Amino acid sequence: MEKARIRFTKQSVEMFLAKYWLLLFTVLVGIAFASIEPRFAQMGNLRDIFSNMVVYGIASLGVMLVMITGEIDYACGAELSLGACLIGRLLDSSTFNSYPLAFLITIAIMAAIGALNGFLHVKVGIPGFIATLGTSLLITGFAKLLTNSNRIFSTKWPSNFTFLGQGTVLGVPMNVICFVVIAVLALLYTEYSKHGKRLHAVGSNNFACKYVGISSGKEKMKSFILCSVLCGFAGIIQGSMLNSATPFMGDLTLLNALTMLMLGATFYKIGTFNVFGTIVGAVLVNMINNGMVMVGASTWQKYAVQGLIMIVAVTAVTVIRARAAKRN
Amino acid sequence: MMRKMKGKTGQNNFGTLISRYFLLIALLLLIAVFSIAQPRFFSVSNLLDIVSSASLVGIMALGACIVMSVGEMNFALGAEATLVAGLLGYTLQEQIIPWYFAAVLAALLVALLIGLFNSAFAVRLGVPAFVATLAISKIHDGIYALISNNKTMFSKNWPTEFKLLGQGYVGPIPILVIVFLVVGIACWLLMDKTKLGRHICAVGQNAVACKQVGISVKGIKTIAFLLCSLLAGLAGILASSRNFNVMTTLGSGMMMNAMSAAMLGATFLRPGRFNVQGTIVAALMVSVISNGLLMLQSPDYLKDIVQGIIMIIAVGYIALTRKEGLPSVKMG
């Protein structure tokens, strides 16, 4: 009888708060914005927040796979831009008009770019961050070449170009469906499969992996490829939402993705990058970005708030990990 | 862990010499190619222009070089340069400090404070330096947007000395180049001739061993962050003087060039180690490439692609010849 009842001891409340504070905080921020500006809580605006979340959300899930292995993909923003520019340019011809084929070609090229990142890190041995810094320049150059450094838009684009970004299925926006599907796949991949265990193993102890027969190079390679593909896919959706593409549309991806991931690592599975946390982080970041516009914040306030959230999140993750390390 | 070092001494002196000075040879070759393709490239005014922009990039790159020597990373270099230049412009505009050089000193003091702020997170709290400085750079952007209304800053209140550092000449030599030389020599003396410099390099090579022999790793890293921010701020001040305005993109436009210069520099003289001499040569090379491509009227995507390829080859070369050469950026 005693066991069945949930006891609200001080400790259990503390545990609960530590695990779910981000969700509570997100709700509180939402209530705060809604009370300052009632338009914030309207259905249309909430739908806006969720559909804006999709692009960076998908990209950050991709970056998450790389971050779990202890590396980082600096080129994620460039990859996002390239995804949009590639499909835009492919469909901008009078002879070639098949959207699915263009989609597949774009994804294949993104996978090849991911493989290049992986190759430079795993085979050549350049630290992931620096290797992707180099490839990000290459990718940006390629995207600029495709678009002549301009915003591209074409009347030759088939009508289904905007389906992924603006279409709805049974009243649910298509881009949100894409996000949910990818989030579920990412969850299955990282938490409920052998691959995920290996991924976390590579991230926490590269050397031990060697002894138990996990090839860290292979796992990292997979992560880099998946990251590039997901970032490219996010770019395709973004291009579809805006009905245009520029080589600069991904400039803020890294900053946003890192903020979401770092916030996410303070939620649910504390200290590790996880899908649930990342999604909550994505909602929070987008809510703040949207809310700041709604209440008419000036540019400096937006920058300052973005920077502060990120530094607080990353500091929290660091402190949590340092404490965990001390306990062990 | 013993890593097999590729024996280099005594085997093939000529080959060693070539690989050590490859960057300089590549620089001369590039200058020759650009001069043949576009004779205007080799004119005195254009060469001075190249050296001037190399000075700006180079000073920032020396900051990056020092902080990467201790195995850390500062990704707020660009934002710091913009902010420090912006603060200088603001104090002169509002006439808080009406004398230019006093204002410069005050701005450099602020640059040191910024470095202290960076090191508080990256060194004291142990937050991964790349993520921490990326977040801090956003805060810098915010402060700059606050004081400048997010516009290009320009004021009639600015004294004429504002132009002196960036546009003045001593005889035929731009003051900018003299400042670069002075800073370069100071950095060289610091890194190669003093105990502090040796400690900075040692911490980057093996922080654990340094702790055991009693070198304060955190202290050395803090000093590196301070020097880095100071140099980034100085680069920002010089750039504002050269343009006679402060743009929001002042620093961010230079940062990538500075980062690649520092990394390219590690292929020179002491392959696999960041060094001052290499950084200076690489800064010249980066400027020659941007200027040369501009002179040939090549489309702007070419610059990105060329820079990307050069960077990958440079760091790939270091990674293949010397495994422990580059600091890896640990993500938590």
Side-chain angles (χ1 to χ4, degrees):
Chain A
M1 249 177 19
E2 274 296 311
K3 274 180 202 163
R5 199 184 296 155
I6 304 163
R7 278 180 299 171
F8 287 100
T9 59
K10 200 180 159 214
Q11 216 173 5
S12 73
V13 171
E14 255 176 29
M15 279 291 287
F16 181 82
L17 278 179
K19 228 175 157 182
Y20 296 104
W21 76 274
L22 192 69
L23 195 60
L24 291 173
F25 185 64
T26 307
V27 173
L28 283 178
V29 169
I31 292 170
F33 275 127
S35 55
I36 298 171
E37 176 60 66
R39 274 187 301 142
F40 179 81
Q42 275 168 11
M43 206 51 217
N45 190 48
L46 290 180
R47 203 183 292 145
D48 254 16
I49 292 176
F50 279 101
S51 90
N52 280 329
M53 183 192 90
V54 167
V55 174
Y56 290 138
I58 291 177
S60 69
L61 287 175
V63 178
M64 184 186 79
L65 297 177
V66 178
M67 297 273 284
I68 289 176
T69 66
E71 293 298 329
I72 188 167
D73 190 353
Y74 179 80
C76 58
E79 284 156 5
L80 193 145
S81 310
L82 183 63
C85 294
L86 259 178
I87 196 164
R89 183 49 77 205
L90 278 172
L91 289 170
D92 184 25
S93 72
S94 41
T95 49
F96 185 78
N97 212 7
S98 158
Y99 186 80
L101 195 58
F103 183 87
L104 286 179
I105 293 174
T106 306
I107 292 295
I109 293 176
M110 295 321 297
I113 286 170
L116 174 67
N117 287 339
F119 171 78
L120 288 175
H121 172 61
V122 176
K123 298 291 176 199
V124 182
I126 308 173
F129 167 68
I130 294 172
T132 48
L133 197 68
T135 53
S136 80
L137 287 167
L138 275 184
I139 299 166
T140 307
F142 188 34
K144 281 182 180 171
L145 167 68
L146 287 173
T147 57
N148 234 340
S149 303
N150 280 320
R151 199 172 77 95
I152 56 165
F153 165 78
S154 172
T155 45
K156 289 176 194 144
W157 285 346
S159 57
N160 51 5
F161 186 84
T162 51
F163 175 67
L164 274 180
Q166 297 172 16
T168 53
V169 172
L170 301 172
V172 184
M174 192 56 208
N175 53 9
V176 174
I177 296 177
C178 289
F179 180 58
V180 171
V181 169
I182 285 174
V184 170
L185 288 177
L187 188 67
L188 291 176
Y189 182 75
T190 53
E191 304 291 336
Y192 298 102
S193 78
K194 243 177 5 196
H195 304 284
K197 295 217 171 65
R198 287 196 205 132
L199 217 57
H200 286 288
V202 170
S204 56
N205 196 333
N206 216 337
F207 282 105
C209 284
K210 225 178 235 166
Y211 296 116
V212 296
I214 296 172
S215 158
S216 66
K218 213 168 123 191
E219 296 303 319
K220 284 181 176 175
M221 192 72 163
K222 269 194 270 180
S223 289
F224 272 114
I225 293 174
L226 285 173
C227 174
S228 175
V229 166
L230 285 179
C231 288
F233 184 58
I236 292 174
I237 291 180
Q238 172 113 327
S240 166
M241 280 165 72
L242 302 171
N243 205 12
S244 69
T246 76
F248 312 104
M249 61 203 286
D251 283 358
L252 289 173
T253 311
L254 184 71
L255 192 84
N256 278 308
L258 280 179
T259 312
M260 293 168 186
L261 286 169
M262 290 297 167
L263 283 172
T266 63
F267 180 75
Y268 192 59
K269 276 179 76 178
I270 295 164
T272 51
F273 302 111
N274 63 80
V275 176
F276 286 123
T278 306
I279 294 172
V280 178
V283 174
L284 179 60
V285 168
N286 277 288
M287 225 152 97
I288 290 171
N289 287 345
N290 179 290
M292 297 284 278
V293 176
M294 277 274 164
V295 299
S298 51
T299 317
W300 79 269
Q301 287 164 330
K302 277 181 232 159
Y303 284 149
V305 168
Q306 279 172 356
L308 282 175
I309 297 172
M310 186 163 168
I311 194 88
V312 167
V314 69
T315 308
V317 174
T318 311
V319 170
I320 289 167
R321 283 190 175 178
R323 275 195 186 169
K326 215 175 258 175
R327 231 178 288 136
N328 293 339
Chain B
M1 267 191 310
M2 279 290 290
R3 280 226 169 85
K4 218 172 120 190
M5 304 274 245
K6 291 207 170 143
K8 280 203 160 174
T9 42
Q11 276 183 355
N12 186 346
N13 274 327
F14 186 66
T16 319
L17 217 60
I18 294 274
S19 92
R20 280 179 65 185
Y21 292 101
F22 179 76
L23 197 67
L24 196 60
I25 299 166
L27 174 65
L28 295 176
L29 275 177
L30 270 175
I31 293 175
V33 168
F34 281 130
S35 307
I36 294 164
Q38 174 59 269
R40 266 192 302 136
F41 177 84
F42 206 70
S43 64
V44 175
S45 63
N46 191 51
L47 289 181
L48 280 180
D49 193 45
I50 292 175
V51 181
S52 297
S53 43
S55 306
L56 298 176
V57 171
I59 290 173
M60 191 183 265
L62 286 171
C65 165
I66 292 174
V67 90
M68 289 203 275
S69 293
V70 295
E72 296 289 344
M73 171 74 63
N74 186 353
F75 221 70
L77 279 173
E80 277 164 15
T82 314
L83 179 59
V84 171
L87 285 171
L88 172 67
Y90 185 75
T91 46
L92 290 169
Q93 177 189 315
E94 302 293 318
Q95 305 209 301
I96 299 165
I97 305 174
W99 307 284
Y100 179 69
F101 288 100
V104 166
L105 283 181
L108 288 176
L109 213 62
V110 175
L112 280 177
L113 281 178
I114 292 172
L116 207 61
F117 189 64
N118 286 342
S119 61
F121 283 96
V123 180
R124 296 288 152 189
L125 285 169
V127 177
F130 164 67
V131 190
T133 48
L134 187 67
I136 292 170
S137 78
K138 212 66 204 163
I139 299 175
H140 294 335
D141 286 349
I143 300 173
Y144 177 73
L146 173 65
I147 58 174
S148 69
N149 285 324
N150 211 24
K151 286 187 204 115
T152 298
M153 194 186 262
F154 173 78
S155 166
K156 281 189 210 114
N157 287 346
W158 286 353
T160 44
E161 298 98 82
F162 198 95
K163 285 187 194 169
L164 187 68
L165 286 174
Q167 299 176 17
Y169 283 83
V170 173
I173 307 161
I175 292 178
L176 207 50
V177 177
I178 298 173
V179 175
F180 183 38
L181 275 178
V182 170
V183 171
I185 290 171
C187 285
W188 171 66
L189 288 175
L190 173 77
M191 294 294 280
D192 287 11
K193 303 289 170 198
T194 64
K195 209 165 110 186
L196 178 64
R198 279 197 297 280
H199 284 181
I200 286 177
C201 294
V203 166
Q205 307 253 319
N206 194 337
V208 179
C210 282
K211 216 179 232 169
Q212 280 159 354
V213 297
I215 297 173
S216 159
V217 174
K218 286 189 172 181
I220 297 286
K221 283 189 174 177
T222 306
I223 290 172
F225 270 104
L226 288 178
L227 287 172
C228 175
S229 295
L230 187 67
L231 289 171
L234 180 63
I237 290 171
L238 293 174
S240 70
S241 165
R242 192 181 183 211
N243 303 334
F244 204 57
N245 64 28
V246 184
M247 284 179 286
T248 45
T249 55
L250 175 128
S252 55
M254 278 156 59
M255 190 174 74
M256 267 305 163
N257 280 342
M259 293 287 235
S260 18
M263 285 173 204
L264 275 177
T267 62
F268 185 72
L269 205 61
R270 292 192 290 266
R273 294 192 194 168
F274 297 105
N275 61 77
V276 173
Q277 299 92 316
T279 306
I280 293 171
V281 175
L284 280 169
M285 184 156 153
V286 170
S287 302
V288 162
I289 293 170
S290 354
N291 182 293
L293 289 175
L294 203 70
M295 276 276 168
L296 296 179
Q297 294 177 328
S298 55
D300 70 337
Y301 64 82
L302 208 59
K303 188 177 158 271
D304 286 308
I305 292 179
V306 168
Q307 215 182 343
I309 289 174
I310 289 178
M311 195 156 156
I312 289 172
I313 291 175
V315 288
Y317 167 76
I318 304 168
L320 287 175
T321 49
R322 220 189 151 98
K323 290 281 184 201
E324 74 279 22
L326 284 162
S328 90
V329 182
K330 289 256 159 52
M331 303 310 305

